[in-house]
């Protein structure tokens, strides 16, 4: 199959890129063929975010988005910023970056579904349920497209009766919008040395649940952000509660993946959060509707890779455009897709058949308002490596006194190198779930609506199986069994037999945490059969 442009990933940035390209083509009476490949079973199936959305970029893409029915229907009515201790709640001044005046509470999953509708109306071809598993290169080491994964292979990789071979999809420009820690994006970074002049990316793991609560405690449009308990002072992270419509709230916890204690269990920290008296009062009498988790990129300005290579571009969270200080990334992701479209349109108009490199794209993004946003807040996230108190004080001084214009830039570090051996750390006790406010992983992943063929190839691979026991188990206490939010990794101990790591790949919700946090980078996340994974509808 041949197209002018192929976009890998039907998230906010990928769909924004496709839409803007079609708008430019229509305005200039040009024909541009565009194909969007999405590994989820439907558009939005793998999309998860808080989310309070800033409409800055959407206003540029569709000034009439409200008339078009965009699912941003709950304007923020009030902002609250709390410091939690084990029992108490202290109100803090609202940081300027968390002022959500003019913003909206919504579902990014539904937002992407709406963007897909707009794209298809413009003539974009969108194919959900197809995973991009390989990058295609020509003899000049230029990207010329992608290959979709085979369907219908068994665990050993042999074709079954349902076998369908993957397709080669060729393009003049290939845009990678895979989201955080995209497998092909990571391959491209290594092949084209895109991160040679940037800091390591740093990540966090975000948990989210949707609850339906009693009308008496529901306040539509109310936004709550929290720091402190249950996380220790040396663990970066924070919580949120967003009051949506229909008596529903979004509640979640973000845990920085540069934590040091291998006993820390981010899922259990999230469950523990819900037992705080302030939060438990909101949830009591309600019922949990949805659960999900996803890693997000937090490195910001100093961790941005080079965004272009021969034949393609990186956009959105595949490159890492989350504004940590705002706790938002949809507006920056959308803008990177729009800027990519503008540069691609110029390129394919001038060079009709050559997969040339759009060398100015990185600087164009950095010169845009996206770059200015990230540069101003570049030191906030890394300042917390010195502890929560220092991070809060420093961030306030830099942002309010110096407005981000300091002559230094703090460095980011690789998350997988931060874990310390179990013998140096104190175990952490977590209470058993009550099944009312707190839950176990099994009942939680049931709400993620996972689809996975039992007989398909295992997509979570160990580069060296011995390392899983000799290093991970004996030195770090098998941290993968704790940080995985879906119970994929399990240590089995039988009498007179050595411990064994079991990988329950059918539980995977594609959060990518194992690919990020494994201390020796021994776990490799590869793209599974198209359509596998969670099926979020309102996350």
């Amino acid at each position: 199959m041949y197209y002018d442009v192929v976009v890998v990933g039907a998230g906010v940035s990928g769909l924004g890129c496709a839409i803007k390209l079609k708008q430019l083509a229509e305005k200039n009476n040009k024909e541009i063929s565009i194909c969007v490949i999405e590994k989820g079973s439907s558009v939005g199936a793998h999309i998860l975010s808080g989310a309070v959305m800033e409409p800055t970029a959407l206003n540029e893409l569709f000034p009439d988005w409200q008339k078009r029915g965009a699912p941003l229907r709950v304007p923020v009515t009030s902002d609250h910023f709390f410091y939690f201790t084990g029992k108490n709640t202290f109100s803090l001044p609202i940081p300027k970056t968390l002022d959500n005046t003019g913003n909206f509470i919504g579902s990014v999953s539904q937002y992407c579904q709406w963007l897909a509708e707009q794209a298809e109306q413009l003539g974009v071809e969108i194919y959900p349920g197809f995973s991009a598993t390989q990058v295609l290169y020509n003899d000049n080491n230029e990207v010329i497209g992608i290959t979709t994964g085979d369907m219908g292979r068994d665990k050993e990789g042999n074709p079954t009766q349902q076998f369908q071979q993957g397709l080669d999809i060729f393009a003049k420009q290939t845009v990678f919008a895979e989201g955080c820690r995209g497998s092909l994006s990571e391959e491209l970074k290594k092949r084209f040395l895109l991160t040679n002049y940037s800091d390591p990316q740093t990540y966090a793991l975000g948990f989210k649940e949707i609850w339906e609560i009693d009308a008496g405690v529901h306040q539509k449009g109310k936004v709550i952000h929290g720091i402190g308990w249950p996380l220790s002072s040396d663990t970066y992270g924070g919580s949120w509660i967003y009051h949506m419509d229909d008596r529903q709230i979004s509640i979640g916890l973000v845990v920085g993946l540069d934590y040091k204690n291998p006993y820390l269990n981010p899922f259990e920290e999230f469950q523990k959060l819900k037992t705080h008296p302030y939060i438990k009062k909101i949830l009591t009498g309600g019922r949990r509707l949805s659960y999900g988790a996803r890693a997000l990129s937090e490195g910001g300005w100093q961790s941005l890779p080079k965004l272009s290579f021969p034949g393609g571009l990186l956009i959105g969270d595949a490159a890492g455009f989350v504004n940590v200080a705002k706790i938002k990334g949809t507006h920056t992701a959308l803008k990177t897709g729009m800027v990519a479209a503008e540069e691609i349109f110029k390129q394919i108009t001038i060079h009709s058949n050559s997969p040339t490199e759009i060398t100015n794209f990185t600087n164009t993004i950095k010169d845009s308002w996206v770059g200015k946003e990230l540069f101003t807040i570049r030191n906030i996230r890394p300042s917390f490596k010195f502890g929560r108190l220092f991070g809060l004080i420093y961030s306030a001084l830099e942002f309010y006194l110096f407005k981000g214009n300091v002559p230094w830039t703090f460095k980011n570090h690789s998350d997988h190198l931060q874990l310390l051996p179990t013998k140096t750390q104190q175990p952490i006790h977590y209470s058993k779930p009550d099944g009312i406010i707190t839950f176990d992983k099994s009942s939680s992943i049931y709400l993620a609506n996972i689809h996975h063929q039992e007989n398909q190839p295992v997509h979570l691979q160990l580069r060296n199986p011995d390392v899983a026991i000799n290093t991970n188990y004996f030195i770090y206490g098998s941290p993968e069994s704790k940080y995985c939010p879906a119970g994929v990794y399990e240590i089995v101990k039988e009498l007179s037999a050595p411990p064994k790591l079991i990988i329950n790949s059918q539980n995977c919700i594609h959060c990518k945490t194992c690919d990020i946090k494994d201390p020796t980078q021994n776990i490799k996340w590869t793209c599974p059969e198209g359509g596998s994974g969670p099926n979020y509808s309102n996350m």
Side-chain angles (χ1 to χ4, degrees), residues 473-493:
Y473 178 76
F474 286 113
I475 298 177
Y476 298 104
S478 296
E480 64 272 22
S481 66
K482 301 176 183 67
Y483 59 61
C484 174
V488 170
Y489 301 96
E490 179 184 3
I491 290 291
V492 175
K493 293 184 247 183

Side-chain angles (χ1 to χ4, degrees), residues 197-212:
Y197 300 99
S198 59
D199 286 358
Q201 186 60 261
T202 189
Y203 302 89
L205 175 58
F207 293 85
K208 177 179 177 179
E209 291 178 351
I210 300 292
W211 282 66
E212 183 181 77

